[in-house]
Amino acid sequence: MTDLTRRNVLRGSGAAALGGFTALGAPGLPGLPGAPRAQAASPTARRDPYPFLHGAFAPATEEVTAFDLPVTGRVPRELDGRYLRTGPNVLGLEDPRAHHWMLGEGMVHGVRLRDGRAEWYRNRWVRSAAVAAKLGEPYPWQAPADDFANNTHVIPYKGRVMALQESGPTPYELGEELDTLGPYDFGGTLSGAFTAHTKYDEQADELHAITYYPTWDHVRHLVVDRTGRVARTTRIPVADSPMMHDFALTGRYVVVFDTPVTFDAAAAQAGALVPYTWNDRHPARVGVLPRAGGPIRWFETDPSAYYSHTLNAYDDGTTVTVDFTSFPTPFFAAGRGCDGPSALGTPRLDRWTIDLAHGRLRSQRIDDRPQEFPRVRESLVSRRHRYGYAATAGEMWRAYETVDGVAPDRVFGNALLKHDLLRGSTEVHRFPKDSPASEAVFVPAAGGGARAEDDGYALAYVHDPVRGAADLVILAAQDFSGAPLARIHLPGPVPLGFHGSWVPA
């Protein structure tokens, strides 16, 4: 296997052998599997082999534009911008055996808020060359080498909006109405892979990334400076080509997570859809790299917890603090007999305290409730924070816990969480059964620079099983467990997916 691109490494040659994908003339045509949604199961009951295609995960089948959306409650008039969130939304799947949740074509969902109104809702597939071909549309750009309809994150950056993916694909720039404007390579300065999880240091006006690629013997730390160009690249040697989905940034350091999920060339050659496997021989460790330059320092960490997503990180003297979510290990990125990742349990909120003076790392559990997609106020990325927000979605945990065909119980609830990390307390905003919430993004109140850290709003898409569609829910962050300020009723579903951002006007 000599030509290792994203197409044949992360999709695998098995996709074509199993029927693969078919070109569609227009969105909304049939082709998505219609098996019934999984029901409550006993340990001996047969589970749904494709949980990431059904229920609240079911892909949207068409692109929709709707204006003047109905609202229950009142949209705060100071909210002037777009709430965007992306995720995998497979297009034209003929055989579910050729599907893996993480490989679905990216679809961005957006709501425009202005003057107390929900002005519009749009959902659009990211127009990679392959998506354009399936939709029967022209692709007017030169396709990047690892072209993909990026599905993991969507962020604003210096007046642009970019859809992101890790391990290869170039970002795609999106327009005001979520139309694809083409690949974006930071003015020709991006060479090689990019990441899904950038960190923007508002004070330094720098965008940071940790990038990896299956054929590299290293990972790279990239710094995009205030001119919007990649100004510095640092190579960090690592073994086994690990998957580095996220990282952490502090005022003085970059924190790198080297986990035992590594590239498996034999699995790729055999046609694995996601050829990254749990590797007991690969040590779990954390690297601390000075932003100003210098060697990286590695610290061994507990191999029984798989690092997932960063809430935030900061440094104080010779101490580095990292708050993050983790799964119990082993973690199976490729899944175990299902169409998405699998875990032996649900993710929790943890903290690492790294003592640089004495060369020690201490781990502690912050909150034991199931939760994922942790977020912080964006202006505090890399600085000390007090509050953090996370989502718990029962349907997501049931989809993840499919190991050995034993369906987990159905006691997991649906909620958004607000953590007060100073007081060690948590507020919970609960949602009904079968109403899972996606990632919550904090939006500061207007002119809130000198106000309390939590003066603002938490926005999230929440599934409404009665309508079979989604609501955009707006919570007052300082009255987190109270009734929503507004529920904006969207015309269709927003499948459970990945990450998003508030893009102010």
Side-chain angles (χ1 to χ4, degrees):
M1 190 173 198
T2 58
D3 182 21
L4 289 174
T5 67
R6 181 173 187 87
R7 181 175 180 83
N8 60 25
V9 169
L10 294 187
R11 190 175 296 279
S13 57
L18 288 170
F21 299 87
T22 181
L24 296 181
L29 296 181
L32 295 174
R37 182 178 173 180
Q39 301 298 315
S42 68
T44 58
R46 183 185 178 119
R47 64 179 170 84
D48 182 356
Y50 308 114
F52 291 93
L53 286 171
H54 304 140
F57 289 98
T61 59
E62 60 183 347
E63 295 179 329
V64 175
T65 301
F67 298 97
D68 294 321
L69 306 175
V71 177
T72 298
R74 292 186 177 181
V75 176
R77 295 186 67 84
E78 65 179 328
L79 289 176
D80 185 8
R82 292 171 292 161
Y83 177 68
L84 308 181
R85 206 223 68 198
T86 192
N89 197 99
V90 65
L91 174 60
L93 181 66
E94 288 188 332
D95 189 333
R97 293 173 298 170
H99 175 261
H100 188 283
W101 184 44
M102 296 190 303
L103 297 180
E105 290 88 342
M107 174 178 277
V108 179
H109 301 259
V111 175
R112 178 65 163 100
L113 304 179
R114 179 162 34 198
D115 297 329
R117 296 169 46 239
E119 196 171 89
W120 55 251
Y121 162 80
R122 287 178 167 85
N123 64 317
R124 297 291 186 269
W125 273 288
V126 177
R127 260 51 171 192
S128 65
V131 167
K134 290 180 183 183
L135 297 176
E137 299 175 357
Y139 182 82
W141 313 286
Q142 181 176 350
D146 290 295
D147 191 34
F148 189 70
N150 299 339
N151 68 19
T152 310
H153 207 347
V154 55
I155 65 167
Y157 179 64
K158 293 190 177 295
R160 303 177 188 272
V161 171
M162 294 184 293
L164 304 179
Q165 191 84 15
E166 65 193 83
S167 185
T170 301
Y172 266 97
E173 183 179 358
L174 306 179
E176 180 72 22
E177 298 180 349
L178 307 187
D179 49 314
T180 301
L181 303 181
Y184 183 71
D185 60 2
F186 300 95
T189 61
L190 176 63
S191 176
F194 202 58
T195 186
H197 286 289
T198 57
K199 309 293 180 207
Y200 179 65
D201 183 333
E202 186 176 279
Q203 294 185 27
D205 194 9
E206 291 178 346
L207 187 72
H208 291 251
I210 292 290
T211 67
Y212 71 94
Y213 198 73
T215 59
W216 292 353
D217 60 0
H218 62 277
V219 297
R220 299 176 185 179
H221 169 230
L222 308 184
V223 181
V224 182
D225 68 12
R226 63 184 64 247
T227 70
R229 300 169 68 85
V230 179
R232 187 167 75 250
T233 301
T234 301
R235 297 192 177 195
I236 305 168
V238 294
D240 302 326
S241 296
M243 175 183 286
M244 290 195 182
H245 180 65
D246 203 350
F247 71 106
L249 185 72
T250 78
R252 293 189 294 162
Y253 300 102
V254 179
V255 185
V256 181
F257 309 113
D258 188 3
T259 65
V261 177
T262 63
F263 177 66
D264 187 336
Q269 186 66 48
L273 295 176
V274 179
Y276 280 85
T277 56
W278 185 260
N279 183 355
D280 285 319
R281 298 181 302 278
H282 188 88
R285 59 181 188 161
V286 179
V288 180
L289 176 73
R291 284 174 58 170
I296 191 169
R297 293 180 61 186
W298 291 105
F299 299 81
E300 291 187 2
T301 188
D302 184 0
S304 67
Y306 170 71
Y307 167 85
S308 181
H309 288 106
T310 301
L311 170 63
N312 194 32
Y314 57 89
D315 60 73
D316 183 8
T318 60
T319 300
V320 173
T321 300
V322 185
D323 293 340
F324 63 98
T325 52
S326 70
F327 283 89
T329 59
F331 179 81
F332 303 99
R336 293 185 72 188
C338 72
D339 58 333
S342 290
L344 300 182
T346 52
R348 315 294 167 128
L349 186 63
D350 290 338
R351 169 171 286 181
W352 283 328
T353 304
I354 305 171
D355 183 344
L356 299 176
H358 299 92
R360 294 193 294 257
L361 181 149
R362 181 169 63 93
S363 181
Q364 68 182 100
R365 176 62 45 86
I366 295 177
D367 191 76
D368 204 41
R369 279 166 281 216
Q371 58 197 281
E372 248 288 30
F373 307 121
R375 296 296 292 263
V376 72
R377 181 174 178 146
E378 289 298 304
S379 62
L380 293 178
V381 168
S382 79
R383 313 295 169 185
R384 184 185 292 270
H385 61 283
R386 175 174 176 176
Y387 299 105
Y389 306 85
T392 183
E395 192 158 341
M396 182 167 287
W397 314 142
R398 290 190 289 273
Y400 267 72
E401 290 191 47
T402 56
V403 177
D404 298 329
V406 178
D409 61 44
R410 298 183 64 86
V411 300
F412 298 132
N414 300 305
L416 295 177
L417 308 177
K418 177 191 176 184
H419 298 292
D420 185 333
L421 299 165
L422 178 63
R423 294 184 176 179
S425 60
T426 301
E427 294 180 72
V428 181
H429 188 98
R430 303 185 188 280
F431 295 101
K433 178 184 176 182
D434 298 325
S435 295
S438 297
E439 176 187 72
V441 171
F442 177 82
V443 182
R451 298 180 181 178
E453 179 184 325
D454 63 343
D455 186 6
Y457 311 94
L459 277 62
Y461 291 126
V462 179
H463 183 67
D464 181 346
V466 176
R467 296 193 306 115
D471 293 337
L472 175 57
V473 173
I474 303 175
L475 305 179
Q478 293 182 332
D479 184 23
F480 196 79
S481 59
L485 297 175
R487 294 187 72 109
I488 300 168
H489 306 297
L490 309 187
V494 177
L496 282 174
F498 297 144
H499 308 282
S501 299
W502 171 253
V503 182

